[in-house]
């Protein structure tokens, strides 16, 4: 054993250096064995990412990429070059494939004349890059990339496929491109084969089905190395051999369209690997010593996740990746063999590597060139390759799997991106946010997972021919009008985004996203909401006037004594245990205000005063009174849209609900009753709480405004002088952000949605007294919907009917003017709603975007002026299985901090914040208290909210004003300690005095 060879009994002073070196070597050997990854280790990836990350880790990582990180974009020859017969270029298999008629195209029914077929989508012209080298390289300069990946068209430099007679014009084109890249300081990444095999080789040899192609490919590669190798440091031999082999020769979905079945597909893959290996060895022996470059093969993959986390499902996911990525990566990066799962299942179909072939293929890559995107993911991956599991666009997890499965190779992401519709022009928001997601996941893989990724390629530089999708989708950073003559490249929103990421080398922290230290004013209203308080009039047992005897000997039960009744006492609010429970829960939150909604349908079941439910009114009166006794201000909403009739009494709902102008009058009468019955205990009113503007017709919205204004005028005229309260309407004000901030169209769309969502009801009350001009102009332009006009009396009634501005806010949405996903497209407003897929989301898919609250508050202030403002509802749903309640803790902390920024930095007159909601009983998954089996349990987020309330925010910096009354202990802890010590000393002195006095008395009476 090695330990014995060290002779531990020998004196150490004789060979200290030798002993130290041996120990060091053993340590390094053990460490290398521990760190070395083996095939199959990638399976650990699913367990590692099975648990959802913390909210802080799930969002954007504000960090930079390593120095010297390679930022690239790319293109492929057939997709962009065009010039298919220009200057001696030979035909490729894609020229043939796109020009032939589709034999499977369905014809018209018998006897019906066939319409002329649409022209086939081809790459004949495409983006015309062959004739626009300067145009393309200017786009690279504009982006600021460090690397550019492009492919050489085999048929352009060798029209016949053989190296004997190269096409000088083709060679001159690539020299011109490489020279221009050298001028710009952009490093080329050159692909030798990106799917466009010369047609002559397909006709003569059957394409990649013949082993002869390996030597021909080697000859072609040698030509390229000799002509261009002095300027190229990164070579890609073959792009995505899975797609070439499986869909070019097995399914026939791609060129050359051979439907040879699985056996031929596996044979072609074998030949591709041999061809790649021969080229690698050629470069390694003949060109690397003088050119100093690196060679790899670009491997495409998908990502797969278990439908249910089990050992079997994880094994199926591992098999799925083995059959797609491992098929090519295992032979090259590990041991020259196909994955065990493939050899075990495909023994009769899968070729075997001979011993010489294993040695030839093994280790023939200088880096791991990874392709991940819609060419394979969700597009060309056959369903059976998923092994009944679910695809997922998670680049970070794929990078982690590659790192573990193939022994930590250096990774260059040589193709990554997404796509948009072929009709989308320059505002490609969907593409941009996928790009953001993938770059962010790459950064997390580097910084959090330790994966060695040294380069990233956004695909592609420009719009082009998208293989089997033709021109139905676009994947470029630059827009190309394919019908124009000059084919100008116009930067899309994604290009501006990528340019910014490259310039900053990642996502550095932004000043506006930094947390703010500070405190809210002393009189700031800290509240919590329970919109649905059930009226529970069950009386306490102590209100029972009957007399009972306890049968202690036999039944052990209470026996009622007939005819024995105690004196009845006057009922009081303390007789209602449900109220005591409600108030104690609210007290436990340490808030100063509690908001709840009345049930109009329960108070006035018929919608008028012919039947008044005094029991319900008594309950609400008691609740408000008991809250006041507990030093908690009740905030009461008269109407909340909920229940079977949206909170309206059934007769009113049956007579047209808010469409009926009479409903506004009925609401004013109901409001008067509430002011009369509850006004002595309630001084903070909300007329209508969050009217659902997206579910109201314009006539209904008009009556909602009248209802609010009538109620406000009733209170202002008849009750304010004696009750001294305040009253307003509460509007839902989720923020709307342009999906492409640089797009004037998206900014206009965002303003239009804000006016329809918020301004519709806010502008008549807080603004001009009329509906927003943007809203009226839009509807008049459409001509199919009429927006009511206010009479002069209605304008005077509605305008100014507020004492404060109240809003609820939960999330932020993105809007785009381009139609991308029909399911989320609003035809009426002509707006596409979407989300930033890097945003944190709740289990209910509500985006957590704290800065949206600040922007909403700022927008309201700029639009309607400085008014006292209350956030009367703000909250998020949670995962019942998350015992730590991490999402809500994160949510309230960051949203309240953004509210503080709005108050301190933006000058918003913010007077209060109400968290939603009190408990899960009335708002499942939104509560600060869990509710189960009639028991309430505080969640961890409640303690975080209490802490924020105690500190009035986030720790006021020194010198920020004086402490609030009663908060002296916060400023001088020693003072509070001194006071408590004084009280303790006084109590001890009292006990001693009592003890001495007792001794004296005992002594006195004992003497007597």
């Amino acid at each position: 054993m090695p330990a014995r060879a060290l002779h531990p009994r020998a004196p150490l002073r004789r060979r200290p250096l030798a002993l130290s070196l041996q120990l060091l070597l053993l340590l390094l050997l053990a460490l290398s064995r521990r760190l070395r990854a083996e095939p199959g280790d990638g399976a650990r990836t699913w367990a590692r990412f099975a648990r959802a990350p913390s909210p802080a880790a799930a969002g954007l990582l504000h960090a930079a990429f390593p120095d010297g990180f390679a930022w690239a974009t790319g293109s492929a020859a057939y997709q962009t070059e065009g010039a298919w017969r220009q200057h001696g270029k030979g035909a490729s298999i894609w020229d043939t494939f796109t020009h032939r008629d589709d034999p499977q195209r369905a014809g018209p029914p018998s006897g019906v004349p066939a319409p002329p077929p649409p022209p086939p989508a081809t790459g004949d012209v495409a983006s015309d890059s062959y004739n626009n080298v300067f145009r393309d390289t200017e786009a690279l300069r504009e982006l600021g990339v460090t690397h550019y990946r492009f492919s050489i068209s085999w048929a352009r430099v060798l029209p016949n496929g053989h190296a004997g007679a190269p096409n000088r014009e083709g060679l001159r084109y690539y020299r011109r491109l490489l020279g221009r890249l050298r001028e710009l300081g952009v490093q080329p990444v050159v692909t030798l084969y990106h799917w466009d095999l010369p047609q002559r080789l397909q006709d003569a040899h059957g394409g990649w089905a013949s082993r002869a192609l390996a030597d021909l490919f080697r000859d072609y590669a040698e030509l390229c190395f000799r002509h261009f190798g002095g300027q190229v440091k990164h070579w890609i031999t073959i792009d995505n051999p899975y797609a070439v082999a499986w869909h070019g020769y097995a399914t026939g979905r791609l060129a050359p369209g051979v439907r040879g079945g699985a056996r031929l597909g596996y044979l072609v893959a074998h030949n591709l690997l041999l061809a790649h290996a021969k080229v690698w060895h050629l470069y390694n022996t003949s060109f690397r010593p003088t050119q100093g470059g690196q060679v790899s093969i670009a491997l495409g993959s998908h990502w797969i996740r278990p439908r249910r986390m089990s050992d079997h499902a994880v094994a199926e996911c591992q098999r799925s990746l083995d059959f797609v990525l491992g098929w090519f990566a295992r032979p090259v990066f590990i041991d020259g063999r196909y994955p065990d799962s493939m050899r075990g299942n495909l023994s009769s179909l899968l070729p075997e590597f001979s011993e010489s072939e294993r040695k030839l293929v093994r280790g023939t890559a200088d880096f791991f060139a990874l392709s991940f995107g819609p060419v394979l993911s969700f597009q060309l991956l056959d369903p059976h390759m998923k092994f009944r599991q679910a695809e997922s666009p998670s680049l970070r997890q794929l990078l982690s799997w590659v790192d573990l499965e193939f022994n930590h190779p250096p990774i260059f992401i040589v193709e990554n991106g997404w796509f948009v519709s072929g009709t989308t022009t320059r505002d490609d928001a969907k593409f941009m946010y996928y790009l953001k997601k993938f770059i962010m996941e790459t950064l997390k893989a580097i910084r959090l997972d330790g994966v060695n990724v040294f380069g990233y390629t956004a695909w592609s530089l420009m719009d082009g021919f998208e293989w089997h999708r033709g021109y139905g989708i676009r994947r470029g950073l630059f827009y190309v009008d394919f019908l124009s003559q000059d084919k100008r490249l116009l930067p899309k929103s994604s290009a501006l985004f990528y340019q910014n990421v490259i310039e900053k080398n990642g996502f550095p922290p932004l000043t506006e996203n930094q947390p703010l230290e500070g405190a809210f004013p002393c009189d700031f209203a800290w509240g919590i909401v329970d919109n649905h308080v059930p009226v529970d009039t069950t009386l306490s047992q102590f209100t029972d006037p009957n007399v009972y005897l306890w049968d202690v000997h036999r039944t052990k039960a209470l026996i009622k004594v007939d005819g024995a009744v105690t004196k009845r006492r006057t009922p009081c609010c303390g007789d209602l245990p449900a109220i005591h429970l409600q108030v104690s829960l609210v007290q436990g939150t340490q808030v100063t205000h509690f908001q709840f909604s009345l049930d109009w349908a329960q108070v006035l079941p018929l919608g008028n005063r012919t039947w008044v439910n005094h029991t319900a009114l008594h309950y609400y009166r008691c609740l408000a009174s008991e809250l006041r006794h507990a030093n908690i201000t009740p905030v009461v909403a008269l109407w909340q849209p909920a229940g079977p009739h949206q909170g309206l009494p059934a007769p009113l709902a049956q007579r047209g609900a808010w469409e009926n102008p009479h409903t506004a009058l009925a609401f004013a009468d109901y409001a008067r009753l509430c002011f009369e019955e509850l006004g002595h205990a309630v001084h903070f009113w909300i007329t209508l709480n969050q009217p659902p503007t997206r579910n109201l017709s314009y006539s209904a919205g008009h009556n909602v405004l009248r209802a609010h204004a009538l109620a406000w005028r009733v209170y202002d005229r008849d009750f304010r002088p004696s009750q001294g309260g305040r009253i307003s309407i509460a509007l839902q004000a989720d923020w709307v952000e342009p999906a492409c901030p640089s797009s004037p169209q998206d900014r206009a769309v965002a303003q239009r949605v804000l006016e329809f969502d918020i301004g519709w009801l806010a502008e008549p009350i807080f603004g001009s007294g009329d509906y927003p001009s943007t809203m009226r102009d839009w509807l008049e332009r459409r001509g199919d919907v009429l927006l009511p006009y206010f009479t002069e009396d209605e304008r005077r009634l509605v305008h100014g009917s507020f004492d404060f501005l109240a809003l609820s806010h939960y999330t932020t949405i993105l809007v785009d003017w381009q139609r991308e996903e029909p399911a989320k497209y609003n035809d009426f407003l002509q707006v596409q709603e979407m989300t930033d897929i890097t945003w944190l989301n709740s289990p209910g898919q509500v985006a957590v975007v704290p800065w949206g609250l600040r922007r909403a508050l700022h927008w309201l202030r700029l639009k309607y002026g400085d008014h006292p403002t209350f956030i009367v509802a703000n909250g998020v749903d949670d995962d019942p299985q998350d015992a730590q309640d991490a999402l809500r803790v994160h949510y309230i902390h960051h949203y309240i901090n953004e509210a503080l920024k709005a108050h301190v930095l933006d000058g918003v007159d913010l007077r209060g914040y109400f968290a939603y909601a009190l408990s899960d009983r009335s708002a499942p998954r939104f509560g600060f208290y869990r509710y189960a089996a009639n028991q309430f349990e505080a969640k961890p987020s409640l303690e975080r909210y209490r802490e924020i309330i105690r500190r009035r925010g986030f720790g006021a910096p020194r010198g920020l004003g004086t402490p609030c009354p009663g908060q002296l202990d916060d400023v001088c802890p020693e003072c509070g300690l001194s006071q408590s010590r004084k009280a303790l000393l006084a109590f001890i002195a009292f006990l001693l005095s009592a003890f001495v006095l007792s001794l004296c008395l005992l002594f006195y009476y004992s003497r007597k």
Side-chain angles (χ1 to χ4, degrees), residues 351-418:
E352 277 287 338
F353 287 106
S354 66
E355 189 60 32
S356 61
E357 288 175 339
R358 285 184 57 204
K359 293 178 180 178
L360 178 73
V361 172
R362 184 176 59 223
T364 55
D366 302 316
F367 57 92
F368 199 110
L370 179 65
S371 171
F372 181 71
V375 168
L376 185 57
S377 297
F378 300 95
Q379 293 287 327
L380 290 176
L381 184 67
D382 281 4
H384 70 274
M385 292 289 191
K386 301 177 187 179
F387 291 90
R388 298 173 299 279
Q389 306 308 312
E391 271 194 274
S392 170
S394 177
L395 176 57
R396 178 185 176 185
Q397 295 182 34
L398 175 60
L399 289 169
S400 181
W401 187 86
V402 169
D403 181 66
L404 290 173
E405 189 73 13
F406 303 111
N407 195 28
H408 320 300
I411 301 173
F412 193 167
I413 300 170
V414 294
E415 179 180 343
N416 180 237
W418 208 245

Side-chain angles (χ1 to χ4, degrees), residues 428-502:
D428 57 340
K430 177 183 174 183
F431 181 98
M432 179 177 69
Y433 287 109
Y434 267 99
L435 191 64
K436 180 182 178 183
K437 164 188 165 66
F438 292 138
I439 295 174
M440 173 53 55
E441 290 187 347
T442 303
L443 180 60
K444 288 183 177 180
I446 295 170
R447 295 301 186 193
L448 304 182
D449 308 332
V451 180
N452 181 12
V453 183
F454 67 89
Y456 177 87
T457 306
W459 198 270
S460 59
L461 174 63
M462 70 198 84
D463 293 334
F465 175 80
E466 291 300 334
W467 309 117
H468 62 296
R469 302 290 296 273
Y471 296 100
I473 62 172
R474 292 176 180 267
R475 297 189 62 197
L477 296 167
F478 285 78
Y479 172 77
V480 177
D481 181 356
F482 296 110
L483 300 179
S484 66
Q485 292 296 321
D486 57 359
K487 303 289 190 298
R488 291 175 57 204
L489 298 189
L490 302 175
K492 301 181 186 179
S493 296
S494 57
L496 302 179
F497 166 77
Y498 193 43
Q499 178 190 53
N500 186 59
V501 171
I502 295 172

Side-chain angles (χ1 to χ4, degrees), residues 858-889:
H858 187 59
W859 183 82
L860 288 167
R861 176 178 177 268
L862 290 179
K863 191 166 182 64
Y864 302 118
D866 293 309
H867 300 299
T869 302
F870 292 84
I871 302 167
V872 294
N874 177 240
V876 69
D877 61 295
D878 61 22
D879 180 1
Q881 306 303 318
D882 180 12
Q884 300 303 314
D885 197 21
L887 179 60
R888 184 171 292 102
V889 171

Side-chain angles (χ1 to χ4, degrees), residues 43-44 184 209 289 312 391 442 599 667 670 673 683 689 695 698 738-739 822 882 901 936 1006:
R44 303 203 307 260
L184 296 176
H312 173 73
E391 271 194 274
T442 303
D599 188 340
F667 179 77
Y670 157 65
L673 173 66
H683 297 156
N689 192 23
N695 295 323
Y698 297 112
D882 180 12
K901 291 178 187 178
F936 292 91
S1006 65

Side-chain angles (χ1 to χ4, degrees), residues 461-784:
L461 174 63
M462 70 198 84
D463 293 334
F465 175 80
E466 291 300 334
W467 309 117
H468 62 296
R469 302 290 296 273
Y471 296 100
I473 62 172
R474 292 176 180 267
R475 297 189 62 197
L477 296 167
F478 285 78
Y479 172 77
V480 177
D481 181 356
F482 296 110
L483 300 179
S484 66
Q485 292 296 321
D486 57 359
K487 303 289 190 298
R488 291 175 57 204
L489 298 189
L490 302 175
K492 301 181 186 179
S493 296
S494 57
L496 302 179
F497 166 77
Y498 193 43
Q499 178 190 53
N500 186 59
V501 171
I502 295 172
E503 182 181 345
K504 296 178 179 178
N505 198 37
F507 303 92
L510 301 176
T511 304
E512 58 266 30
N513 291 336
Q514 298 304 303
L516 178 67
E517 289 187 349
F520 288 97
C522 292
D523 59 350
F524 193 78
W526 294 101
I528 200 161
V529 183
D530 191 346
N531 283 328
H532 310 290
V533 174
V535 175
D536 184 355
T537 57
T538 303
L539 295 175
S540 167
Q541 60 179 330
F542 300 108
T543 61
D544 189 350
N546 296 296
V547 176
Y548 296 87
L549 293 176
W550 186 10
D551 185 359
V552 296
H553 299 291
R554 297 178 59 193
T555 64
K556 310 295 184 182
L558 292 175
I559 301 175
K560 181 179 177 181
V561 179
D562 294 333
V565 179
T566 61
K567 182 180 179 181
R568 291 184 178 272
R569 60 176 177 80
T570 304
C572 65
C573 293
D575 297 337
L576 300 170
I579 289 181
H580 174 75
L581 174 61
Q582 185 87 36
V583 173
S584 65
L585 290 175
V586 177
Q587 282 182 300
T589 65
Q590 299 180 7
V591 296
T592 61
H593 291 62
F594 176 59
Q595 182 196 150
F596 64 94
S597 299
L598 307 182
D599 188 340
W600 183 4
Q602 194 166 17
V603 173
L604 295 178
L606 298 181
N608 55 48
R609 294 209 195 189
T610 57
W611 179 10
V612 177
N613 186 343
H614 290 284
T615 301
L617 283 173
H618 173 69
Y619 186 88
Y620 291 135
R621 188 185 307 113
C622 283
L623 177 56
S625 299
E626 292 300 303
L627 286 168
R628 287 175 61 87
H629 291 156
N631 204 28
I632 297 169
T633 301
V635 181
V636 176
L638 295 172
W639 176 72
Q640 172 79 25
H645 302 296
Q646 288 294 295
L648 296 174
L652 296 181
Q654 293 164 3
R655 291 198 291 268
W658 290 112
E659 297 286 346
N660 189 338
H662 175 75
T663 303
L665 300 176
F667 179 77
D669 190 44
Y670 157 65
R672 177 181 292 276
L673 173 66
C674 295
F675 299 150
E676 293 170 351
E677 296 290 333
L678 310 178
H680 72 284
V682 179
H683 297 156
F684 197 143
W685 293 93
I686 292 172
T687 55
L688 305 168
N689 192 23
Q690 305 174 52
T693 53
R694 294 200 173 191
N695 295 323
L696 287 175
S697 69
Y698 297 112
S699 58
H702 198 76
N703 290 327
V704 162
L705 284 169
R706 290 179 59 249
H708 154 74
L710 287 169
W712 190 90
R713 298 295 174 185
V714 166
Y715 189 86
D716 187 59
R717 181 181 63 247
D718 300 337
F719 295 94
R720 193 191 304 275
S722 60
Q723 296 180 0
R726 48 188 170 176
I727 183 170
S728 194
I729 188 174
L731 303 176
Q732 182 162 339
D734 288 336
W735 181 241
V736 179
E737 183 78 4
C740 300
S742 60
S743 166
Q745 294 95 327
D746 278 8
R747 292 198 296 269
V749 163
Q751 287 302 310
R752 181 158 70 242
V753 176
L754 285 170
E755 294 290 9
F756 272 81
D757 281 359
I758 306 173
W760 177 11
L761 300 182
E763 183 67 24
I765 298 171
F766 302 95
S768 63
D770 196 0
Y771 294 115
S773 58
T774 300
M775 186 177 180
R776 194 175 291 283
D777 292 345
W778 178 261
L779 293 175
E780 288 180 356
R781 193 184 324 156
R782 288 185 61 89
D784 55 352

Side-chain angles (χ1 to χ4, degrees), residues 520 524 526 850 853 874 891-901 910 913 915 945 948 953-954:
F520 288 97
F524 193 78
W526 294 101
L853 173 59
N874 177 240
Y891 184 96
I892 62 170
H893 177 94
H894 288 85
Y895 271 83
I896 295 175
N897 196 260
E898 291 295 323
L900 180 65
K901 291 178 187 178
L910 190 61
Y913 172 90
Y945 191 34
I948 293 173
F954 301 89

